[in-house]
Amino acid sequence: MKQKILFALLAFATACTSNTPQPNDSEIRQFVDLEGLDSTISPGDNFFMHVNGKWYNSVQIDEDQVGVGSYSYLNIPQRKLLETILDEVSSTTHPKGSIEQKVGDFYASGMDTSDIDARGVKPIQPILAQIDKISNLKEMEDFLVSELKFNNQSLIGLRISPDDQNSTINIIHLSQSGLGLPDRDYYFKTDSSTLGIQKAYQKYLADLLMMTGENEAKAQTAAQTVYALEKQLAESHKTRIERRVVKENYHKVAVADLDKKHSQISWKSIFDNLGLKADSLDIRQPAYYDKLNVLLQTKALEDWKTYLKAQTLVANANYLSTPFRKAAFEYNKVVSGQSKQLTRAQQMVQQVDQNLGFDLGQLYVKRYFNEAAKQRVLDLVNNLQKAFEQRINQLDWMSDSTKTQAKEKLYAITKKIGYPDKWREYPVEINREAYFENVLALRKNEAEYQFKKLGKAPDKTEWGTTPSTVTAYYNPSLNEIVFPAGILQYPYFDQNADDAINYGGIGMVIGHELTHAFDDQGAQFDKDGNLKNWWTKADYEKFKAKTQLLIDRYDSFTVLDSVPIKGAMTIGENTADNGGIYIAYDAFKLTKQGQDTTKIDGFTPDQRFSYSIARIWRVKVRDEYMRTYVNTNSHSPAMWRVNGPLMNFDPFYAAYGIKPGDKNYKAPEERIKIW
């Protein structure tokens, strides 16, 4: 795995691109991993394994990881770079309040495991004592408010973000909450894998309670009480598929009316105590709060106190002594299959990135990011937009009026590259000798940061991910695409790679994110980020029919021999994958190399383009993790992020001579194209 970050993108010498010259032949390296290819597997049978098979069958997943390869697993070498930064800044003295002092001292406080272990359960005892003192529902409500002030959301899932129907203002959104297992379905499934996770979770709760002084019998009974309560809450939860229907997860109500409806929840009092002034809000999943209101009335207060203790311990276990962290890891082993904990340094890299990510991000981009890359990537995004516009113009299923609206939305997209233009600040005092208190201070700061957004216009300079993270995203409420510095490296792009490799890599990712503006959810938002219909009725029906074809296709795919992918849950990402590949290819064909047939490493440009797509999703994960992934993740597994779109991609058939009889062959009329 390359660890040196390569941040300059190949420029494109065509009329539609910048004037930066392409690399000469001496600069072009071999970007096809011949040793990773498995020539015994036909491209038409399984292109993912054709490209990655030898690598896949020989690579070992480290004991402290759940997977290995590209995309999110590039964060593993990324964290090594961050660890180097943190080791350096934590070993020297810096001015108080400086970025280096805050990230260095927070890192150092978490690295001092001797002090953390010596304190044991003491840091959490004041919070547990608060719970012990609760004598009625009003006092329980006060405790929930105090926890929300530290960004802990056990029973109340609260966030501040743009109003779906008025994106110029931030409002309160309430979402279903209250569960400890990965998803509501885990409380009701009875297969052996899920039953094992249920058992491990209840053991985890009991272990945590015993560490606070409960005897084993009481702790086990308490864990069963908590689990039973969560299961009742889970009955009210919408499934992940149901939550994809945007309009059915938006319910604007007056706070006064909500107060009347929920006799056991004093909403106005909660918001007043949080300093949130709001006459109305969006309650995204009302059934959950209706159920919570009933359970608050019917379940014993002592059961709720037991629940709050357990959830407080779960929320803080990784910030406490070794026995607490070990218990958390033992549960995670069952869910993910990870057999060994990360080193303490790597755990702390994650904590710094999570809590002070934009301070750490400044140090990261200063050291590793090439400033010129921002403009080069912006040029590429602009090229992909032009290619997408051409595809919209050529659609045979969409009317001209809807095409006009689609193109207006396409060109209204805000582009964020590398790192923010305005850095977030963390006005928090960090104490090198008080790790748990540092965590609380940062949580409190996070809650205050979010609460201050209420009633204001969204800050369009804000980022939803840290610059060092290997990811990319589209935000429908702000109609923006974001590409952090972390993803701008091989195999996504390299300044010395040919066009085919870069367009099949970062070009595919850019096309993917652009298409999210027009997937099953994104298509419901207009160019300003409002939940508003901009389609003709006939066009939208055609769009839904096409997405249903894609849902049905992905429903037929399986992993681990017999575990099916959920087409309806992954439809947004699948739409983006299928659209992204065509948009990237169309832009690639505008380049000089895209119009040529000269081979490199024995492969034509079109073959290298498809190869690059399979290479960027080169991922292998543990079976336990895969089972959780297909039940909870909106993305298809890596193999189907390659094979699925390529089934529908005409140039792939021509490039590799895919023919009837190949396992993944689809006749032209069966190739699904939306965008």
Side-chain angles (χ1 to χ4, degrees), residues 402-413:
T402 305
K403 286 180 180 179
T404 298
Q405 297 288 322
K407 288 183 286 187
E408 287 181 2
K409 180 176 183 179
L410 174 66
Y411 281 105
I413 292 174

Side-chain angles (χ1 to χ4, degrees), residues 22-29 496 600:
Q22 295 202 58
N24 59 47
D25 291 342
S26 65
E27 293 176 309
I28 295 178
R29 300 195 300 273
N496 294 315
I600 302 176

Side-chain angles (χ1 to χ4, degrees), residues 236-254:
S236 68
H237 272 230
K238 285 193 172 185
T239 66
R240 290 177 183 266
I241 293 173
E242 290 170 334
R243 280 152 52 197
R244 290 204 64 83
V245 185
V246 179
K247 291 181 179 179
E248 293 182 11
N249 288 274
Y250 175 84
H251 306 89
K252 192 83 171 281
V253 298

Side-chain angles (χ1 to χ4, degrees), residues 377-445:
V377 176
L378 180 59
D379 288 344
L380 182 58
V381 174
N382 291 338
N383 296 339
L384 269 288
Q385 276 184 306
K386 293 173 184 175
F388 201 171
E389 178 188 12
Q390 292 177 9
R391 292 200 64 80
I392 291 172
N393 287 335
Q394 295 166 6
L395 292 175
D396 60 5
W397 58 270
M398 181 180 283
S399 68
D400 289 343
S401 61
T402 305
K403 286 180 180 179
T404 298
Q405 297 288 322
K407 288 183 286 187
E408 287 181 2
K409 180 176 183 179
L410 174 66
Y411 281 105
I413 292 174
T414 300
K415 308 147 193 174
K416 296 179 178 179
I417 311 294
Y419 57 88
D421 294 329
K422 182 177 74 174
W423 289 97
R424 176 179 170 179
E425 297 180 353
Y426 301 89
V428 176
E429 185 172 319
I430 299 298
N431 185 338
R432 193 178 181 90
E433 299 176 350
Y435 178 55
F436 190 81
E437 288 74 14
N438 288 337
V439 171
L440 291 185
L442 288 164
R443 282 181 171 178
K444 186 172 185 290
N445 173 252

Side-chain angles (χ1 to χ4, degrees), residues 146-347:
S146 70
E147 286 294 279
L148 284 168
K149 289 180 179 178
F150 286 88
N151 204 36
N152 290 331
Q153 305 186 13
S154 54
L155 288 172
I156 299 175
L158 184 154
R159 67 180 175 88
I160 311 295
S161 62
D163 186 338
D164 286 356
Q165 293 189 348
N166 180 10
S167 62
T168 64
I169 192 79
N170 287 317
I171 66 169
I172 295 171
H173 301 268
L174 295 175
S175 298
Q176 60 193 28
S177 188
L179 309 185
L181 289 177
D183 183 76
R184 54 93 60 202
D185 291 349
Y186 279 76
Y187 292 88
F188 308 110
K189 294 170 68 175
T190 57
D191 60 278
S192 60
S193 175
T194 304
L195 291 176
I197 292 173
Q198 293 172 4
K199 183 178 179 180
Y201 178 58
Q202 292 179 64
K203 182 181 184 303
Y204 175 38
L205 296 178
D207 288 346
L208 291 177
L209 291 165
M210 281 190 285
M211 290 177 208
T212 68
E214 290 282 8
N215 64 50
E216 184 174 357
K218 286 187 177 180
Q220 289 179 348
T221 299
Q224 293 171 7
T225 297
V226 174
Y227 183 82
L229 195 51
E230 289 183 12
K231 187 172 183 178
Q232 287 184 279
L233 290 171
E235 292 172 352
S236 68
H237 272 230
K238 285 193 172 185
T239 66
R240 290 177 183 266
I241 293 173
E242 290 170 334
R243 280 152 52 197
R244 290 204 64 83
V245 185
V246 179
K247 291 181 179 179
E248 293 182 11
N249 288 274
Y250 175 84
H251 306 89
K252 192 83 171 281
V253 298
V255 173
D257 290 340
L258 203 60
D259 254 336
K260 293 176 183 177
K261 184 179 184 182
H262 297 152
S263 60
Q264 305 302 309
I265 309 174
S266 303
W267 289 111
K268 185 178 185 305
S269 175
I270 289 173
F271 298 139
D272 286 346
N273 290 336
L274 291 173
L276 300 176
K277 296 182 179 180
D279 295 325
S280 61
L281 55 80
D282 167 29
I283 182 165
R284 300 181 69 80
Q285 292 88 30
Y288 166 75
Y289 289 97
D290 293 345
K291 185 64 171 284
L292 176 61
N293 183 65
V294 171
L295 292 177
L296 287 171
Q297 190 171 18
T298 57
K299 291 297 178 182
L301 182 63
E302 288 303 311
D303 289 352
W304 284 114
K305 291 169 66 174
T306 300
Y307 168 88
L308 292 174
K309 276 189 177 182
Q311 289 305 318
T312 296
L313 291 167
V314 168
N316 292 282
N318 283 316
Y319 310 120
L320 296 170
S321 59
T322 297
F324 287 93
R325 299 196 304 273
K326 183 179 179 182
F329 177 70
E330 289 300 317
Y331 165 60
N332 183 62
K333 280 171 63 174
V334 180
V335 177
S336 69
Q338 181 181 335
S339 59
K340 182 181 178 181
Q341 277 187 299
L342 290 171
T343 65
R344 183 60 182 173
Q346 282 294 288
Q347 292 176 49

